[in-house]
Amino acid sequence: MAQPFGHRADSTGQEARQALGQSDDQDQQQGRQGFAQLTAAARPIGYSARMSSSPADAAPLSVRQVLLCGAAIVTLSLLTLPLALWEGVSPYVAALSWAAGAFGMGLAVPSISVQVMRLSPETDLGVNSSAIQIIDSVMGVLVVSLLGLGHAAAVASGGASAATYAALWCAAALVSLAAVVLAGRMRPV
């Protein structure tokens, strides 16, 4: 059977490494070094919530701390979004704000579920898990609907302006600020 691009059926990457003067050991060593560098470069991202560069000296964060951190990041991201409306400000400001908000939500939302499941008696785990999903959905729809009503009212009364969007984002920030305040009431178990 003919192989594409003139390759023989028994051809492997061995010939390519030999042409470059590398052995399998050198290739594996380079791969390990590259992975170690990638891991070292990603470590600050992975441990950003812990505020530590080494897992050995990092104390595990409580669910409360992770929730506080996530909700605060969401609040800050919503409060920085109006900056993108200013003339001459790069749209990357909005992209970075949304990305930070997504990171914060990724910290906060699962933290609530973890805490509820941790505090639930074994017989109530299913009910409480369902309740979390229902509340999450209902509150999401409620907040987005209220913000949508605000936007619709602005459009109906002459058009949405930069001030409209800034007000909507600040209103959303109040919701996430409530999460920061309420997370402060959470106590370790």
Side-chain angles (χ1 to χ4, degrees):
M1 179 169 128
Q3 296 293 320
F5 306 108
H7 290 284
R8 296 186 324 263
D10 60 347
S11 174
T12 64
Q14 183 80 15
E15 289 117 1
R17 285 190 293 277
Q18 286 175 349
L20 294 172
Q22 294 179 330
S23 68
D24 283 338
D25 292 336
Q26 288 173 320
D27 198 31
Q28 289 175 0
Q29 181 64 25
Q30 284 180 343
R32 282 192 290 274
Q33 287 173 346
F35 183 74
Q37 290 171 348
L38 179 64
T39 304
R43 185 172 289 138
I45 296 167
Y47 292 106
S48 62
R50 291 182 171 190
M51 307 302 178
S52 172
S53 62
S54 171
D57 62 354
L61 292 176
S62 70
V63 173
R64 176 183 173 270
Q65 291 170 314
V66 174
L67 177 57
L68 272 169
C69 181
I73 291 170
V74 171
T75 303
L76 290 174
S77 74
L78 288 166
L79 292 175
T80 59
L81 277 170
L83 297 175
L85 300 172
W86 291 354
E87 188 105 7
V89 175
S90 171
Y92 290 114
V93 170
L96 291 173
S97 292
W98 282 121
F103 177 74
M105 284 184 241
L107 290 174
V109 173
S111 298
I112 295 167
S113 297
V114 166
Q115 187 70 355
V116 169
M117 293 296 110
R118 183 182 291 162
L119 296 175
S120 296
E122 194 171 320
T123 57
D124 295 339
L125 286 175
V127 172
N128 290 345
S129 176
S130 297
I132 289 171
Q133 292 178 7
I134 291 169
I135 291 295
D136 185 35
S137 298
V138 169
M139 290 305 293
V141 167
L142 182 65
V143 170
V144 170
S145 297
L146 291 174
L147 294 174
L149 285 173
H151 184 264
V155 169
S157 66
S161 64
T164 302
Y165 293 105
L168 292 172
W169 288 326
C170 288
L174 287 175
V175 174
S176 63
L177 185 61
V180 172
V181 171
L182 292 173
R185 296 175 41 111
M186 188 182 289
R187 299 292 170 238
V189 179

